Amino acid sequence: MSRVGEQTLGRRARLRAQTTAEIQAVALAHMAEGGPDAISLRAIARAMGMSGSAIYGYFATRDALITTLIADTYVSVIDELEAARDAVPPDDLGGRIVAWGEAFRRWSLANQQGFRLIYGDAVPGYQAPADGPVPAAAKRACLGITGLVAAAWPRIRTDQLGSGYQWSDFAPAMVSAVRDAYPDLPPAGLALTARVWGRMHGPVALEIYGHLRSVTGDPTTLYRDELVGLVRSLNLEIA
């Protein structure tokens, strides 16, 4: 292929990537205005000045667009959380948990529509393909926070473990992933992971949806104290 041909293909690839990114941005903007139901390929095409048929050259169906949006959003958040965790020494178990939680809040506040897409109301009628990128991305996020609990497990106080948990209490796909990644973690460890996630996620959801405005003018300190309290409840310290 000639150099001119290569340059033409390069320009086309760049234009396609730019248009794809714009479609995704407009989809999230529509969701912000009208909720998940507002994601429509035809509406996005009108907003972008594209023909109804042209947009199908980028996403064949609405569900294909939603799959890409969700998968990309998961990758974005988990990349940020893992980077924050890995910036803390491995032996500072409490510090790594706090870093994960604080990175989650930062990302969520900076990407509120992305937060709503993957942690808010489900998109009506959408079902993620079982062999597609969404389950894989969600699995990565799940194993990330489970890994924090698994690393801390030998130090966790027995009064934090709960009682009577069985693997059958949890979703089979999650159980399979956790047992493969952390074979020494018992069912109570997965239960604790869910509780840790709830303490990280809950205050952020309240903040994103505006429920903390009448409670505090300093949600940052409130959240930091919640994370420190979580770490101490697990019998850990922060270096």
Side-chain angles (χ1 to χ4, degrees), residues 85-148:
R85 175 201 63 195
D86 294 344
V88 178
D91 59 351
D92 183 4
L93 302 177
R96 285 164 75 87
I97 291 173
V98 170
W100 183 283
E102 290 188 326
F104 173 66
R105 179 174 176 267
R106 282 195 305 273
W107 178 91
S108 299
L109 293 176
N111 300 273
Q112 295 192 25
Q113 295 316 313
F115 177 94
R116 289 184 170 93
L117 181 67
I118 61 175
Y119 299 121
D121 295 334
V123 178
Y126 172 74
Q127 182 65 46
D131 58 348
V134 171
K139 174 182 174 181
R140 182 181 166 202
C142 173
L143 291 180
I145 194 167
T146 304
L148 295 173

Side-chain angles (χ1 to χ4, degrees), residues 20-44:
T20 300
E22 186 178 354
I23 290 170
Q24 293 178 252
V26 172
L28 288 175
H30 283 196
M31 191 185 79
E33 294 175 1
D37 273 336
I39 298 178
S40 159
L41 288 179
R42 290 190 179 277
I44 293 167

Side-chain angles (χ1 to χ4, degrees), residues 40-80:
S40 159
L41 288 179
R42 290 190 179 277
I44 293 167
R46 284 195 300 271
M48 294 177 61
M50 297 176 69
S51 68
S53 59
I55 197 169
Y56 291 102
Y58 293 87
F59 296 98
T61 65
R62 181 205 70 152
D63 282 5
L65 169 59
I66 293 170
T67 294
T68 299
L69 283 171
I70 293 175
D72 287 356
T73 300
Y74 264 124
V75 170
S76 171
V77 64
I78 198 64
D79 280 352
E80 192 159 325

Side-chain angles (χ1 to χ4, degrees), residues 7-24:
Q7 290 175 341
T8 299
L9 287 176
R11 285 196 298 272
R12 288 175 180 170
R14 289 195 298 274
L15 287 171
R16 184 173 182 84
Q18 290 168 2
T19 303
T20 300
E22 186 178 354
I23 290 170
Q24 293 178 252

